[in-house]
Amino acid sequence: MRWRATAAAFIAAVAITSPAFAEFAMAVADFDTNGVPFHLGAAVSDIVRNELSTLPEITMVVVDRNHIVKAAGEQKIGMSGLVAPETAAKVGRIVGARYVLVGSVNSLGGEISLDSRLVDVESGEVIESFSASSDAGQEGLPEAASYLAEDIKIVLTGS
């Protein structure tokens, strides 16, 4: 299993770990799918949601999928529309989230990659980008999703 993390903005990551952000709500949208079965997007986002909800270092409320779907529906936004940071921010505000994690599951040859972005709901800016991959196909996705969640935890907690 190979995994890698890409940092989009280290300074923003430091800002998240300040005491002002010790308690916040975060929404994790179902991941979009490209070249893989549709259900893998929901499965990967569920793994990431579950991993993030266990953070002992901070108090975090993970807004569940049903609330995101309802908010997106009320705004007539398809779940796939949440990939755009500005749209994710709009739905995040509706569900009361401070941050929204959006992402995708992509098939590239024999490798499946997970790519995600942490969006600040207030500004609509991407704070950080994350990536993990599985060269073991679908069977390696749970492990890749766990690696992705670990990288997100590091940014959120600073450790």
Side-chain angles (χ1 to χ4, degrees), residues 117-134:
R117 290 155 314 286
L118 184 63
V119 178
D120 182 310
V121 166
E122 291 179 12
S123 67
E125 292 180 29
V126 174
I127 294 173
E128 192 87 16
S129 295
F130 305 93
S131 183
S133 63
S134 166

Side-chain angles (χ1 to χ4, degrees), residues 11-73:
I11 294 171
V14 173
I16 291 174
T17 61
S18 71
F21 296 108
E23 185 172 331
F24 60 88
M26 179 176 170
V28 178
D30 277 357
F31 281 28
D32 198 14
T33 55
N34 300 303
V36 297
F38 179 74
H39 71 277
L40 293 179
V44 165
S45 60
D46 278 345
I47 292 169
V48 172
R49 249 184 234 110
N50 289 338
E51 298 259 345
L52 292 177
S53 68
T54 64
L55 280 172
E57 297 89 349
I58 58 176
T59 302
M60 182 174 73
V61 178
V62 176
V63 180
D64 103 352
R65 176 183 186 278
N66 293 330
H67 288 93
I68 297 168
V69 169
K70 183 178 177 186

Side-chain angles (χ1 to χ4, degrees), residues 65-157:
R65 176 183 186 278
N66 293 330
H67 288 93
I68 297 168
V69 169
K70 183 178 177 186
E74 288 170 0
Q75 296 300 306
K76 299 185 180 8
I77 300 168
M79 286 299 285
S80 62
L82 287 178
V83 174
E86 58 279 351
T87 306
K90 183 177 183 179
V91 172
R93 282 190 294 276
I94 292 166
V95 298
R98 174 71 172 91
Y99 302 102
V100 177
L101 185 75
V102 295
S104 59
V105 182
N106 308 292
S107 178
L108 304 169
E111 181 177 279
I112 297 178
S113 68
L114 308 177
D115 300 299
S116 65
R117 290 155 314 286
L118 184 63
V119 178
D120 182 310
V121 166
E122 291 179 12
S123 67
E125 292 180 29
V126 174
I127 294 173
E128 192 87 16
S129 295
F130 305 93
S131 183
S133 63
S134 166
D135 53 9
Q138 291 182 27
E139 293 77 27
L141 281 180
E143 187 176 359
S146 291
Y147 283 133
L148 187 75
E150 281 301 314
D151 290 341
I152 296 165
K153 285 181 187 180
I154 290 168
V155 168
L156 293 173
T157 63

